[in-house]
Amino acid sequence: AQSVTQLDSHVSVSEGTPVLLRCNYSSSYSPSLFWYVQHPNKGLQLLLKYTSAATLVKGINGFEAEFKKSETSFHLTKPSAHMSDAAEYFCVVSGGGYQKVTFGTGTKLQVIP
Amino acid sequence: NAGVTQTPKFQVLKTGQSMTLQCAQDMNHEYMSWYRQDPGMGLRLIHYSVGAGITDQGEVPNGYNVSRSTTEDFPLRLLSAAPSQTSVYFCASKSGANVLTFGAGSRLTVL
């Protein structure tokens, strides 16, 4: 069984300040973990993925996430928010092969000018 | 370089009508899936397929049918639409590296 919990449904930051979007997961095997971003009225785009290589994963647009097995966390960070980062972000856990993909409920990021 | 193509982008139905949401991918992915997205609920899996001729139910399959006659196509059928099926629907295929590629979405309203 697997699950994913995004701890904040909304996060608001000022432009130029750091971003932290929190995600905890549970899994009975070694999971793959992903962050996807969805801009308004758009589809979902892959930001980054963790697949048991380096625990610090770098993605597109300056985002990165750190896999912490002891804390079962995969938080998404960015040093400096940009207005274009305003979107909804989804944390996703998946088993290998054709195993089930489970989405978190999403975190809406607001960036204040 | 089309990726995953969904049609239509928008559809309005009356209760009881039927329709098919089309999904096609050109990446030769074996795994394809349909999700619905509702506010505050993330994406929920409706049906998925691990190859031509093989389909299985996800979390919320009731009211939906699927078939997979070819690797490329994975249509989603609503047999008798209900207002509870008003949602945004996403088709996605998955690579061997376990990465999902999504279509642009289909917004369905059932009156």
Side-chain angles (χ1 to χ4, degrees), chain A residues 49-57 65 67:
Chain A
K49 65 176 182 177
Y50 165 78
T51 54
S52 76
T55 56
L56 183 62
V57 182
F67 173 72

Side-chain angles (χ1 to χ4, degrees), chain A residues 12-65:
Chain A
S12 183
V13 301
S14 296
E15 189 176 19
T17 65
V19 176
L20 170 64
L21 305 183
R22 299 182 294 166
C23 173
N24 288 350
Y25 71 94
S26 68
S27 179
S28 55
Y29 40 76
S30 295
S32 296
L33 294 160
F34 307 82
W35 278 97
Y36 284 82
V37 60
Q38 184 181 31
H39 288 92
N41 300 312
K42 300 290 186 184
L44 283 83
Q45 179 186 16
L46 179 69
L47 266 183
L48 50 81
K49 65 176 182 177
Y50 165 78
T51 54
S52 76
T55 56
L56 183 62
V57 182
K58 293 189 184 297
I60 62 172
N61 300 334
F63 284 94
E64 60 183 36

Side-chain angles (χ1 to χ4, degrees), chain A residues 35-39 41-47 88-92 103-104, chain B residues 6 35 37 42-43 88-92 100-105:
Chain A
W35 278 97
Y36 284 82
V37 60
Q38 184 181 31
H39 288 92
N41 300 312
K42 300 290 186 184
L44 283 83
Q45 179 186 16
L46 179 69
L47 266 183
E88 190 161 19
Y89 294 79
F90 293 94
C91 183
V92 179
F103 281 77
Chain B
Q6 284 183 239
Y35 294 85
Q37 183 178 26
L43 275 75
V88 181
Y89 292 85
F90 287 97
C91 179
L100 285 167
T101 301
F102 287 87

Side-chain angles (χ1 to χ4, degrees), chain A residues 51-88:
Chain A
T51 54
S52 76
T55 56
L56 183 62
V57 182
K58 293 189 184 297
I60 62 172
N61 300 334
F63 284 94
E64 60 183 36
E66 186 172 9
F67 173 72
K68 292 187 177 180
K69 187 175 181 179
S70 61
E71 299 177 9
T72 60
S73 69
F74 190 56
H75 300 336
L76 182 70
T77 60
K78 183 174 181 178
S80 177
H82 190 273
M83 293 300 295
S84 60
D85 295 328
E88 190 161 19

